[in-house]
Amino acid sequence: MSQIPAELKYVSSHEWIRDEGDGVVTVGITDHAQELLGDVVFVEAPEVDNEVEAEEEIAVVESVKAASDIYAPIAGTIIEVNEELEDSPELVNSDPYGDGWMFKMQLADVADLDGLMSAEEYAEEIADE
Amino acid sequence: MANKTPLYQAHVDAEARIVDFGGWDMPLNYGSQIDEHHAVRQDAGMFDVSHMTVVEVTGAEAKPYLQYLLANDVDKLQVAGKALYSGMLNEDGGVIDDLITYYLTDEHYRVVVNASTRDKDLAWMENVAQQFAVSVEERTDVAMIAVQGPNAIDKAQSVMTDEQKAAVAQLKPFVAAQAGSLFVARTGYTGEDGYEIMLPDEQGIDFWNQLQAAGVKPCGLAARDTLRLEAGMNLYGHDMDETVSPLEANMGWTIAWEPAERDFVGRKALTEQKQAGAARKLIGLVLEDKGIMREGQEVIANGEVVGVVTSGTMSPTIGKSIAMARIKRDINEENLLIQVRKKQLEAKVVKPCFVRKGEALV
């Protein structure tokens, strides 16, 4: 059974979002997503300072098996990427909600956070898959 | 309802990730496919390959039948247990399947074909068999386990009886022997030494568990794919199919042209192709840049698409992306560009054999 921390928000494309306050969020992929992918061997990070729309393809995670797009879960600006992943992409598998985080965003509108899924809603969503 | 191998319950008990493969519920991995890959390169791993189709070819004309059916010549098999890799071709010289034939007696050969091509293979084999005094019969009562890696033979022998050990002790590469209830072949699909072992289906799980207790790591299809690609071994339906001739798939060595009087299915088309020169060739690629080459990506030279990636992955042993690609024959550049998603990345052209016996060759 994959972990779904209660304090995070989620989108159906399997990214998690942590509210860091001041309109900043951290984004990664869920435990469920990393399980589906298998061993992650390459992460193509988004570009810092890029303004992105919700659901825009902005990064790529590649496992041995396949490449998967990572979507911006919410509109905003990329302000930081996890540079550790360049040399240690396996962190996405071993610690998806911690050291395996992908990027930070400055939100265009903090109110957008209210439209995201709760842990419970995400758990229901993946149970239906 | 998907087919299940005699070992299916062992995979479920080990919490393997199960996927559909050619109509079979098969283990993709038991956790980390990279760990499984390294186990085979450095120690010993095992694969359930019971989904593969085992066909017994028996009868007075078993030998002439196979000599006509296959591009390679079973007359090369003179010692009991000896194995031969071959393509089974259509009249156009396209590959219906690649397979291994074991010689048991002049009137009994055992053929192992791919699971994903079972139906068309059996139909083709039966159709050709109508011209010969031969019986073609599928075995559905066997489990098959591939034990592979530098320590695979030692660990596999550690779970055998003294009689079985004696029967396999002198086994040379690409030869099989019956050892009690085990049919043990020194073959594989990983580029490492090891055995492929057939045994009665009801003994499968017990033998699998004994191997695991002896330190052989269960490995899934995902590791099997990265291992075979590193070893430069073709995967049917990806690196070749019915639209590709052996000459375009690095399988030229499996065509027995001599004796010239031996006719086989596809010989005429292949002979013409050989004289004219095959239009395409299968090459190996190692990516210089970061990223991963994948099946279906375009290969570019001088601004022009000259071919396509047929298999691509991240090589766990080398730490770079490797691939096989089929390109136009007259392209001889040392480096090619690969269209990897939105970017064109540079790859070095190499012989499509990347790793052998644990050592990187590129």
Side-chain angles (χ1 to χ4, degrees), chain B residues 5 18 28 32 40 56 103 109 152 190 250 266 297 302 335 349:
Chain B
T5 76
I18 305 284
L28 183 67
S32 165
V40 172
E56 305 280 14
Y103 170 61
Y109 294 79
T190 63
N250 268 332
Q297 289 170 348
N302 307 315
N335 290 284
V349 178

Side-chain angles (χ1 to χ4, degrees), chain B residues 85-87 95-100 112-114 234 236 240 251:
Chain B
Y85 176 72
S86 180
V95 182
I96 295 172
D97 200 6
D98 63 332
L99 51 82
I100 287 185
V112 180
V113 305
N114 281 302
N234 291 357
Y236 191 80
M240 76 292 201
M251 291 170 63

Side-chain angles (χ1 to χ4, degrees), chain B residues 304-361:
Chain B
E304 196 186 326
V305 175
V306 296
V308 64
V309 173
T310 56
S311 286
T313 192
M314 171 62 78
S315 159
T317 304
I318 301 169
K320 292 181 181 176
S321 176
I322 59 170
M324 291 200 255
R326 187 150 24 251
I327 64 169
K328 292 180 182 169
R329 181 188 43 159
D330 54 359
I331 299 294
N332 291 308
E333 269 76 358
E334 288 176 13
N335 290 284
L336 295 167
L337 291 175
I338 314 302
Q339 187 72 45
V340 179
R341 302 167 66 86
K342 290 168 194 157
K343 295 176 185 166
Q344 291 189 354
L345 304 180
E346 190 161 315
K348 187 171 72 177
V349 178
V350 298
K351 271 176 65 178
C353 180
F354 307 92
V355 178
R356 268 296 146 97
K357 301 223 183 282
E359 299 295 321
L361 305 178

Side-chain angles (χ1 to χ4, degrees), chain A residues 35-42 44 57 59-69 86-87, chain B residues 17 28-29 31-35 222 226 290-294 312-314 316 340-343:
Chain A
E35 275 177 8
L36 289 179
L37 279 168
D39 291 306
V40 172
V41 289
F42 181 62
E44 194 178 306
E57 293 172 17
V60 181
V61 174
E62 298 212 35
S63 67
V64 183
K65 205 171 61 186
S68 291
D69 291 311
E86 191 172 334
D87 290 327
Chain B
R17 204 174 137 74
L28 183 67
N29 62 60
S32 165
Q33 73 172 94
I34 292 180
D35 290 351
T226 52
K290 284 206 165 193
I292 302 175
M293 297 179 283
R294 304 284 183 188
T313 192
M314 171 62 78
V340 179
R341 302 167 66 86
K342 290 168 194 157
K343 295 176 185 166

Side-chain angles (χ1 to χ4, degrees), chain A residues 15 50-59 69-74 76 103:
Chain A
E15 287 86 13
N50 227 13
E51 268 185 52
V52 299
E53 295 295 321
E55 297 178 25
E56 188 178 333
E57 293 172 17
I58 56 168
D69 291 311
I70 300 300
Y71 301 90
I74 195 163
F103 54 88

Side-chain angles (χ1 to χ4, degrees), chain B residues 138-214:
Chain B
E138 183 189 10
R139 289 284 293 269
T140 54
D141 57 348
V142 288
M144 202 179 338
I145 300 171
V147 190
Q148 301 277 296
N151 300 327
I153 287 180
D154 282 351
K155 289 188 172 179
Q157 286 189 7
S158 76
V159 303
M160 293 182 191
T161 63
D162 288 344
E163 289 81 11
Q164 289 170 334
K165 261 186 256 184
V168 301
Q170 306 299 323
L171 217 50
K172 293 194 172 66
F174 242 65
V175 181
Q178 191 73 41
S181 61
L182 309 178
F183 181 79
V184 181
R186 197 166 163 195
T187 52
Y189 193 48
T190 63
E192 299 297 327
D193 208 343
Y195 293 142
E196 290 178 302
I197 301 172
M198 292 180 210
L199 69 166
D201 50 6
E202 73 276 6
Q203 296 175 19
I205 287 193
D206 186 46
F207 193 68
W208 177 271
N209 289 338
Q210 285 182 49
L211 286 166
Q212 190 168 1

